[in-house]
Amino acid sequence: MSNAAPKPWRLTLSRPLPEWERVFRSGALEGADVRVGPERGFESPDDLHAFVRGAQACVTWVTERIDDAFLDAAGAQLRVVSNFAVGFDNIDVDACRARDVIVTNTPDAVTEGTADVAWMLLMAAARRLAEGDRFVRSGAWEAHGSLGPTEFLGMPISGKTLCIVGAGRIGYATALRSIGWSMRVTYVARSRKPRFEQAPLCAQRVSLEEGLRDADFVSIHTPLTDETRHMIGAHEFSLMKPTAVLVNTARGPVVDESALVEALGDRRLYAAGLDVFEREPKIHDGLRALENVVMTPHFGSGDMRCRLQMSELCARNVANVLSGDGAVTPV
């Protein structure tokens, strides 16, 4: 029997991750051959496919398509795809399953950061933060003079109704933040969620139409599936109050962006706060021209603690699978 040391695992990180050198080269992964892609990603799928060839584990980003072509390029030795995200709509899970490739994600690590951004957008849209910021920066305030009592009025938040669409971890964390504003909470989900209905939220489960009609604020937290694509469109906007605010930190295609532009432009919807977009990073031209929308570049989980936790969870998933143990957070 040969006494030669086993060949080290080859891991590919499609982009640099927080503290990746420490996280992916310690513990069970010490000595691994870790290869890291460019900060802004690969220019083409072919470049990505060439990069992952021969890897036992691939850590991927949400904009990278993991399909048969990717899996063919990586090779039959690939054992795990660890997605640096809670969503996994970029991955053909069935194709991975057919090849015995385990898919993992980072569900708990993104919760608090994304809920923070949902509230940031909710408050900014309701109180016209971006519009006010532009007004000050442009010099328009100085030219205009002090504001009068009826200028730059926004929507109140305290005591209003918040509807959570998608009652998972992030939806719950977002709802919890409403307690400080004494808000009434409703939620839309395929099944009852006792945690939502118990104290301290005491939320009421409603249908999507009921929730949209009644809500002052609607915050979307549902995953992107065939059923949820364009879940919020022209009909749904017609149900909402003209004083309502829509927030989306989930996935852009859940909302029909053209219908949203029309609703905002016609003032059938008061405002929107968006961290995700239907064809990102391309933004609908109509959104750019509107004052009553606040936009951020899909950075919901982008606080230092969340992103480090995501790195560590990806590494634990990779190490567990390659060591023959079960994945920590399998899809």
Side-chain angles (χ1 to χ4, degrees), residues 81-100:
V81 172
S82 183
N83 213 36
F84 189 82
V86 62
F88 49 89
D89 47 282
N90 59 310
I91 298 178
D92 186 336
V93 176
D94 290 336
C96 291
R97 185 179 297 115
R99 301 169 189 246
D100 293 324

Side-chain angles (χ1 to χ4, degrees), residues 128-138 152:
R128 302 170 64 175
L129 175 65
E131 187 181 354
D133 181 79
R134 289 189 291 270
F135 185 71
V136 174
R137 288 177 186 274
S138 68
F152 268 97

Side-chain angles (χ1 to χ4, degrees), residues 63-215:
T63 58
E64 292 146 5
R65 182 66 186 158
I66 312 305
D67 52 14
D68 282 316
F70 177 98
L71 298 169
D72 286 341
Q77 79 297 320
L78 180 64
R79 295 174 59 189
V80 57
V81 172
S82 183
N83 213 36
F84 189 82
V86 62
F88 49 89
D89 47 282
N90 59 310
I91 298 178
D92 186 336
V93 176
D94 290 336
C96 291
R97 185 179 297 115
R99 301 169 189 246
D100 293 324
V101 174
I102 294 172
V103 177
T104 70
N105 64 345
T106 59
D108 293 304
V110 306
T111 299
E112 299 302 325
T114 307
D116 284 346
V117 167
W119 262 90
M120 177 188 76
L121 290 171
L122 184 155
M123 298 184 71
R127 295 303 307 272
R128 302 170 64 175
L129 175 65
E131 187 181 354
D133 181 79
R134 289 189 291 270
F135 185 71
V136 174
R137 288 177 186 274
S138 68
W141 187 26
E142 184 177 0
H144 176 280
S146 299
L147 295 181
T150 62
E151 295 180 286
F152 268 97
L153 300 184
M155 285 296 158
I157 299 171
S158 297
K160 296 297 183 176
T161 297
L162 170 65
C163 179
I164 300 291
V165 179
R169 296 174 181 88
I170 300 172
Y172 184 75
T174 302
L176 277 181
R177 285 156 171 74
S178 73
I179 292 173
W181 280 264
S182 301
M183 298 180 84
R184 170 177 171 259
V185 177
T186 63
Y187 74 96
V188 177
R190 288 178 296 181
S191 59
R192 285 189 61 195
K193 304 294 181 182
R195 185 166 66 154
F196 271 76
E197 298 180 15
Q198 296 163 356
L201 286 181
C202 300
Q204 176 186 0
R205 183 182 174 215
V206 294
S207 69
L208 179 61
E209 291 200 351
E210 290 172 330
L212 295 177
R213 283 194 183 99
D214 193 37

Side-chain angles (χ1 to χ4, degrees), residues 13-311:
L13 316 183
S14 63
R15 302 186 185 218
L17 303 181
E19 298 191 27
W20 69 266
E21 291 188 74
R22 174 184 65 81
V23 172
F24 285 89
R25 285 179 170 159
S26 61
L29 296 177
E30 185 174 359
D33 175 11
V34 184
R35 303 185 179 187
V36 182
E39 178 71 44
R40 300 184 65 185
F42 291 91
E43 292 187 4
S44 71
D46 288 343
D47 291 338
L48 173 63
H49 296 169
F51 175 71
V52 300
R53 190 169 293 121
Q56 279 82 39
C58 297
V59 181
T60 54
W61 181 237
V62 292
T63 58
E64 292 146 5
R65 182 66 186 158
I66 312 305
D67 52 14
D68 282 316
F70 177 98
L71 298 169
D72 286 341
Q77 79 297 320
L78 180 64
R79 295 174 59 189
V80 57
V81 172
S82 183
N83 213 36
F84 189 82
V86 62
F88 49 89
D89 47 282
N90 59 310
I91 298 178
D92 186 336
V93 176
D94 290 336
C96 291
R97 185 179 297 115
R99 301 169 189 246
D100 293 324
V101 174
I102 294 172
V103 177
T104 70
N105 64 345
T106 59
D108 293 304
V110 306
T111 299
E112 299 302 325
T114 307
D116 284 346
V117 167
W119 262 90
M120 177 188 76
L121 290 171
L122 184 155
M123 298 184 71
R127 295 303 307 272
R128 302 170 64 175
L129 175 65
E131 187 181 354
D133 181 79
R134 289 189 291 270
F135 185 71
V136 174
R137 288 177 186 274
S138 68
W141 187 26
E142 184 177 0
H144 176 280
S146 299
L147 295 181
T150 62
E151 295 180 286
F152 268 97
L153 300 184
M155 285 296 158
I157 299 171
S158 297
K160 296 297 183 176
T161 297
L162 170 65
C163 179
I164 300 291
V165 179
R169 296 174 181 88
I170 300 172
Y172 184 75
T174 302
L176 277 181
R177 285 156 171 74
S178 73
I179 292 173
W181 280 264
S182 301
M183 298 180 84
R184 170 177 171 259
V185 177
T186 63
Y187 74 96
V188 177
R190 288 178 296 181
S191 59
R192 285 189 61 195
K193 304 294 181 182
R195 185 166 66 154
F196 271 76
E197 298 180 15
Q198 296 163 356
L201 286 181
C202 300
Q204 176 186 0
R205 183 182 174 215
V206 294
S207 69
L208 179 61
E209 291 200 351
E210 290 172 330
L212 295 177
R213 283 194 183 99
D214 193 37
D216 301 295
F217 298 90
V218 176
S219 191
I220 299 172
H221 302 284
T222 186
L224 178 63
T225 65
D226 290 340
E227 291 74 24
T228 64
R229 186 177 296 273
H230 282 196
M231 172 189 280
I232 309 294
H235 171 68
E236 288 70 28
F237 289 125
S238 74
L239 302 175
M240 297 175 67
K241 300 175 182 179
T243 54
V245 172
L246 177 78
V247 174
N248 188 8
T249 56
R251 286 291 185 267
V254 174
V255 175
D256 181 338
E257 219 161 75
S258 294
L260 174 61
V261 168
E262 289 188 14
L264 290 169
D266 294 343
R267 296 289 175 171
R268 289 181 282 112
L269 186 68
Y270 181 76
L274 307 174
D275 185 49
V276 291
F277 302 87
E278 195 167 350
R279 298 174 184 86
E280 59 187 52
K282 180 176 174 57
I283 306 300
H284 193 295
D285 287 340
L287 288 175
R288 299 176 191 272
L290 294 169
E291 287 283 7
N292 55 339
V293 59
V294 180
M295 299 182 285
T296 52
H298 199 159
F299 64 11
S301 65
D303 73 38
M304 290 181 284
R305 180 177 61 183
C306 282
R307 290 286 169 89
L308 178 56
Q309 289 174 344
M310 292 169 74
S311 285

